[in-house]
Amino acid sequence: EKMNSTMSEEPDALSVVNQLRDLAADPLNRRAIVQDQGCLPGLILFLDHPSPPVVHSALLALRYLAECRANREKMKGELGMMLSLQNVIQKTTTPGETKLLASEVYEILQSSNMSDMDSVNEMNYRRRKAQFFLGSTNKRAKTVVLHIDGLDDSSRRNLCEEALLKIKGVISFTFQMAVQRCVVRIRSDLKAEALATAIASTKVMKAQQVVKSESGEEMLVPFQDTPVEVEQNTDLPEYLPEDESPSKEQDKAVSRVGSHPEGAASWLSTAANFLSRSFYW
């Protein structure tokens, strides 16, 4: 009986966590989400979800929320947060990108209340510890900063996010919409060109890499025009064909919500209701 109800809620869990992730991507919503009674506990429960895409999406939402310094203490103190993150990192079935993302969130929260020097030492210690958990198969992650021509509204951001999520080796990304940038964390064995190829595949955006020169000045470096073969992420769910995809309408709603924090608040209460229904039978 209970088994069936969980099965039927599967697509719901993914769409709810994806909407939370989209809301969290907008800096205007980050305080409201963490202040909300139901959303943080819900995201923590999603970390134990049997479906890998749900877990990864919940981690991306938490990663966005943790960018706001004012949120970190509350997040760190939330019941089950640090424990669930450790579980994700230590579970042998967790995909490599997801482990790295979880350890990134763990590190940010863990160092939330320290002085800068302590926090650097602590982070190095935790990184070594995380690497020990992750095993040698996960070589270190690296950060690539992209300048994306055409990244000028939330629907473009969603397109960009979808393109990046399909690449095997992408761990997390942060959008800086005001300057048309995306900061991407990738496994060190993934070529940055793969990101450019994926973004070019949207047909409406083009990426250049932002690099620092010897003198510390930023420069834009175009990628080679030859597309690289991109290894697709296989553990993501199959999406419905465009014409019958129910999420398209929701995306529109989410992008409208994104620019109005009060709209986000009403959406959050809907999410919280869903979460309490599905988790606390």
Side-chain angles (χ1 to χ4, degrees):
E1 170 74 32
K2 196 176 274 186
M3 195 57 204
N4 286 345
S5 72
T6 324
M7 292 301 282
S8 64
E9 269 158 17
E10 180 76 310
D12 277 347
L14 190 61
S15 66
V16 165
V17 76
N18 283 348
Q19 289 209 8
L20 273 173
R21 181 200 67 202
D22 290 347
L23 284 170
D26 186 333
L28 291 176
N29 297 331
R30 287 173 190 162
R31 295 288 290 273
I33 293 175
V34 168
Q35 295 310 315
D36 183 87
Q37 295 302 299
C39 287
L40 215 48
L43 282 170
I44 292 169
L45 287 165
F46 277 137
L47 294 179
D48 293 327
H49 201 279
S51 154
V54 169
V55 175
H56 197 85
S57 194
L59 282 166
L60 280 170
L62 291 169
R63 174 75 183 75
Y64 281 132
L65 297 176
E67 267 174 53
C68 169
R69 269 178 196 284
N71 282 341
R72 290 175 190 171
E73 275 301 290
K74 182 167 187 336
M75 289 176 71
K76 183 184 174 185
E78 190 71 39
L79 186 68
M81 171 71 79
M82 302 307 270
L83 206 60
S84 296
L85 287 170
Q86 280 180 317
N87 287 344
V88 173
I89 295 167
Q90 293 173 30
K91 214 185 260 172
T92 49
T93 52
T94 306
E97 288 83 358
T98 307
K99 282 189 182 194
L100 281 167
L101 177 54
S103 52
E104 205 170 272
V105 176
Y106 187 91
E107 281 174 15
I108 292 170
L109 297 183
Q110 191 58 43
S111 55
S112 63
N113 55 357
M114 301 180 186
S115 74
D116 284 347
M117 204 48 228
D118 285 351
S119 113
V120 168
N121 293 337
E122 175 72 10
M123 262 188 163
N124 287 337
Y125 165 71
R126 299 216 162 262
R127 193 166 281 137
R128 284 200 303 276
K129 195 169 152 191
Q131 276 180 293
F132 174 75
F133 285 138
L134 297 170
S136 53
T137 50
N138 281 307
K139 293 194 279 297
R140 285 291 294 282
K142 60 185 178 186
T143 301
V144 179
V145 181
L146 301 175
H147 181 276
I148 301 174
D149 295 315
L151 179 65
D152 42 28
D153 64 22
S154 53
S155 65
R156 292 278 176 93
R157 187 190 67 210
N158 289 347
L159 269 180
C160 193
E161 195 168 57
E162 277 171 29
L164 292 173
L165 275 172
K166 288 187 184 129
I167 306 174
K168 202 171 173 55
V170 167
I171 300 159
S172 69
F173 34 77
T174 304
F175 290 100
Q176 298 166 346
M177 297 297 286
V179 287
Q180 293 191 307
R181 283 194 180 176
C182 182
V183 180
V184 193
R185 296 272 294 157
I186 58 177
R187 301 256 294 262
S188 54
D189 47 1
L190 179 68
K191 288 189 168 60
E193 284 75 14
L195 306 177
T197 302
I199 287 164
S201 74
T202 63
K203 304 280 194 287
V204 288
M205 289 176 282
K206 192 169 192 281
Q208 293 174 285
Q209 191 169 358
V210 180
V211 293
K212 275 202 163 60
S213 68
E214 294 289 312
S215 59
E217 283 182 54
E218 291 191 342
M219 303 185 306
L220 291 183
V221 180
F223 286 99
Q224 301 306 316
D225 274 343
T226 49
V228 295
E229 195 53 48
V230 173
E231 192 181 348
Q232 296 283 310
N233 231 333
T234 44
D235 32 0
L236 285 176
E238 287 299 316
Y239 288 103
L240 298 172
E242 285 307 306
D243 51 28
E244 60 182 54
S245 166
S247 67
K248 280 288 161 271
E249 283 308 305
Q250 288 169 342
D251 281 351
K252 286 200 199 87
V254 167
S255 44
R256 276 204 304 278
V257 157
S259 46
H260 308 292
E262 67 282 2
S266 67
W267 191 86
L268 288 174
S269 59
T270 320
N273 286 341
F274 168 85
L275 294 170
S276 56
R277 271 207 319 281
S278 39
F279 292 116
Y280 315 109
W281 289 286

